[in-house]
Amino acid sequence: MITKRIIPCLDVRDGRVVKGVNFQGLGDVDSPVSLARKYSDSGADELVFYDITASAEGRALFTDILTETARQVFIPLTVGGGIHRVEDFERVLKCGADKVSVNSGAIRDPSLIGKAAKKYGDQCVVLSVDVKRVNGEFRVFARGGRDDTGLEALEWIRRGVGDGAGEVVVNSIDTDGVKQGFDLEMLERVCEVAKVPVIASGGAGKIEDFLTLFHTIPGVDAGLAASIFHFGEVRIRDLKQRMKEDGIPVRI
Amino acid sequence: MTAIVDYGVGNLFSLRSSLEAIGETPRVTSDPEEIRRAERVLLPGVGAFADAAEKLRRSGMDEAVRETAAAGKPLMGICLGMQMLFEKSLEYGEHAGLGLLKGTVRPIREILREKGADPEGRLKIPQMGWNALRIRRESPLLRYIREGDCVYFVHSYAADGCGDSLIADTEYGAYLTACAGRERIFGCQFHPEKSGPVGLKILKAFVEMKA
């Protein structure tokens, strides 16, 4: 049986891993390459690297880090951040990324997913969506959760998957950084519309939050988190052991 | 020397890096002569079967790969590269493979339907993620691997009707071929270069093989 994946996310700025609360108050954590190795050794099923730098220097540093990580870590690597054109896919894939996640880039140019999927295959294209409740509906936010796009999230996801996104990362801005558990209500709705793997993000604070996630929403394939792993509040090895004891299919 | 066949389908960075991590320096090549000189050959690949088979044929490397197998040198196909080792594929039509292993590559959905699995079509296709290996017979390729070890899959098609060449399978609604082979010819549907320490052990077993 296919296992549920645990995915640490590394937000990288100027060559360092950072993580904040509600996308703000970013603080320096660790070297991405050593952290990636550490996670891989402790049982992480996949790694996500988000490039949150804006400068060209930062971008070059990011691809260096990615290349170095891909030389040392042999689990799937997903890269996001700064993916606006098909050329950006090429740039990170040749540094060893396996999947590329698009967020704001797809909002700016809705044809990007289709073009990239045609060139690199659906399995390579991940649609990442930052979602927040506004006036009783799920709304897509852009620019790291700052701008309300006015797009309805479920329709946006349905469209992205239809265009060829092979996986969807759903990050709930409402629960992100709050550590009170994943946004189960939102994830359930997403699983109804997306017939591709769904990765839950935003809100995990403890091991039980992952157990609740996988027991409550069987359609969710993976749980993603950042700071709780970075700061050692949840150890991946312990988490996966608990999942196993709880009858959730997991790779030990 | 281990050669990685480069015929323009998919990214070879990870496969090369994973071999380097186990102390092997592979030669990534599109030159049929270099493939003929290699001690062992890896045939990778992602994408569509017909396109890949055509590219391999046009480059003249299909013959070099066949000769590798005929000479008794170790040959391993990975993912689409594995699928090309079989007799044929039913991905968008019917396309001939290299015919080195017995079996037909078919849509996972069709295999499941035939076996009466997942009648409501709930399982997501492609199968994407880590799944456990069930070992069906002993093979030098899996000599460092234990039953239940997980490896990383991304595929919408699987080899079916492999007969005695089946080495290991994996449960996804029904049992699907994960690893097949005979003599020194092997195929892995999963990605050993993305399967962590387990994957590296499979690659290690492969690079230790000689003709």
Side-chain angles (χ1 to χ4, degrees):
Chain A
M1 193 190 283
I2 195 138
T3 60
K4 300 293 184 185
R5 288 174 270 159
I6 297 298
I7 308 175
C9 174
L10 289 72
D11 291 337
V12 179
R13 187 179 55 185
D14 300 325
R16 304 288 292 176
V17 177
V18 293
K19 175 63 193 175
V21 177
N22 284 78
F23 292 104
Q24 278 152 25
L26 302 174
D28 201 355
V29 179
D30 213 339
S31 142
V33 180
S34 63
L35 200 53
R37 277 191 74 145
K38 191 184 107 186
Y39 286 143
S40 175
D41 291 346
S42 62
D45 295 306
E46 193 167 320
L47 295 171
V48 173
F49 276 69
Y50 272 117
D51 181 4
I52 59 169
T53 30
S55 66
E57 296 88 341
R59 194 124 298 166
L61 209 53
F62 181 81
T63 44
D64 287 350
I65 283 163
L66 182 60
T67 307
E68 199 43 44
T69 305
R71 278 210 186 101
Q72 299 185 25
V73 176
F74 303 104
I75 57 176
L77 300 178
T78 300
V79 166
I83 307 295
H84 301 292
R85 300 168 304 154
V86 173
E87 291 75 28
D88 293 320
F89 277 73
E90 187 73 33
R91 176 172 58 85
V92 296
L93 287 171
K94 78 171 195 265
C95 296
D98 300 287
K99 305 184 231 183
V100 183
S101 120
V102 288
N103 192 324
S104 299
I107 296 166
R108 212 164 302 150
D109 173 12
S111 72
L112 180 62
I113 290 175
K115 283 189 278 192
K118 191 161 188 291
K119 184 151 185 199
Y120 301 106
D122 294 5
Q123 84 290 335
C124 203
V125 183
V126 181
L127 172 62
S128 171
V129 197
D130 294 323
V131 188
K132 187 176 164 58
R133 288 168 183 77
V134 177
N135 300 329
E137 71 166 17
F138 295 121
R139 205 67 77 68
V140 177
F141 275 64
R143 295 209 312 131
R146 280 170 295 196
D147 298 347
D148 182 354
T149 64
L151 292 163
E152 199 279 320
L154 299 172
E155 186 46 41
W156 177 244
I157 290 167
R158 190 181 289 124
R159 178 178 169 177
V161 170
D163 284 352
E167 205 163 62
V168 180
V169 177
V170 190
N171 185 41
S172 168
I173 296 173
D174 294 326
T175 59
D176 185 71
V178 182
K179 299 188 178 179
Q180 293 298 313
F182 289 96
D183 197 329
L184 302 177
E185 183 200 5
M186 182 185 292
L187 289 160
E188 183 159 32
R189 301 287 304 279
V190 171
C191 287
E192 285 164 10
V193 301
K195 296 299 165 210
V196 297
V198 172
I199 299 173
S201 163
K206 53 189 183 303
I207 286 177
E208 287 72 17
D209 294 335
F210 288 89
L211 305 179
T212 305
L213 170 72
F214 294 125
H215 282 310
T216 316
I217 323 279
V220 167
D221 296 83
L224 180 146
S227 63
I228 55 161
F229 297 139
H230 303 335
F231 297 122
E233 291 158 65
V234 170
R235 288 172 50 203
I236 292 177
R237 207 172 287 289
D238 299 342
L239 165 59
K240 295 184 84 174
Q241 192 56 41
R242 282 288 301 281
M243 286 168 66
K244 187 184 175 192
E245 286 162 15
D246 238 43
I248 296 164
V250 63
R251 175 180 76 111
I252 294 288
Chain B
M1 181 264 286
T2 301
I4 299 176
V5 182
D6 179 4
Y7 56 116
V9 287
N11 195 330
L12 307 178
F13 183 97
S14 298
L15 184 56
R16 183 211 296 251
S17 303
S18 60
L19 289 168
E20 285 167 355
I22 54 168
E24 179 74 10
T25 310
R27 188 72 66 95
V28 178
T29 181
S30 340
D31 176 5
E33 287 314 311
E34 201 153 33
I35 293 167
R36 288 187 177 96
R37 283 197 298 271
E39 286 172 88
R40 63 191 75 76
V41 174
L42 280 162
L43 181 63
V46 293
F49 189 98
D51 175 58
E54 171 60 20
K55 281 182 174 147
L56 191 68
R57 196 188 57 75
R58 217 184 309 138
S59 66
M61 290 191 287
D62 59 336
E63 273 314 307
V65 169
R66 275 202 188 90
E67 286 168 33
T68 300
K73 292 181 195 171
L75 166 68
M76 177 158 84
I78 296 173
C79 199
L80 181 62
M82 175 228 207
Q83 296 183 355
M84 302 235 286
L85 301 178
F86 291 95
E87 293 155 314
K88 61 181 175 182
S89 167
L90 303 181
E91 179 180 335
Y92 297 109
E94 184 173 327
H95 310 280
L98 292 166
L100 297 171
L101 294 177
K102 183 177 149 41
T104 300
V105 178
R106 301 172 58 205
I108 292 177
R109 193 73 84 195
E110 204 180 290
I111 296 172
L112 295 181
R113 196 183 307 131
E114 209 169 86
K115 296 186 176 180
D118 190 36
E120 288 162 38
R122 284 221 183 107
L123 284 170
K124 296 170 186 180
I125 306 290
Q127 165 173 226
M128 178 142 79
W130 296 81
N131 206 337
L133 290 174
R134 181 178 73 158
I135 298 172
R136 306 304 289 160
R137 71 175 166 84
E138 227 174 273
S139 164
L141 190 67
L142 301 187
R143 64 201 165 108
Y144 300 124
I145 300 306
R146 287 180 311 187
E147 174 94 6
D149 278 347
C150 283
V151 289
Y152 188 76
F153 291 88
V154 183
H155 63 135
S156 302
Y157 295 80
D160 192 32
C162 304
D164 293 344
S165 70
L166 181 67
I167 294 173
D169 53 18
T170 194
E171 197 266 340
Y172 193 69
Y175 281 98
L176 303 175
T177 302
C179 189
R182 65 173 175 90
E183 295 154 20
R184 291 277 180 273
I185 307 166
F186 304 96
C188 294
Q189 180 59 67
F190 53 89
H191 288 273
E193 77 281 16
K194 283 290 157 187
S195 296
V198 168
L200 294 184
K201 282 189 228 169
I202 294 170
L203 291 171
K204 180 173 177 328
F206 179 71
V207 302
E208 285 170 356
M209 286 182 207
K210 289 191 162 49

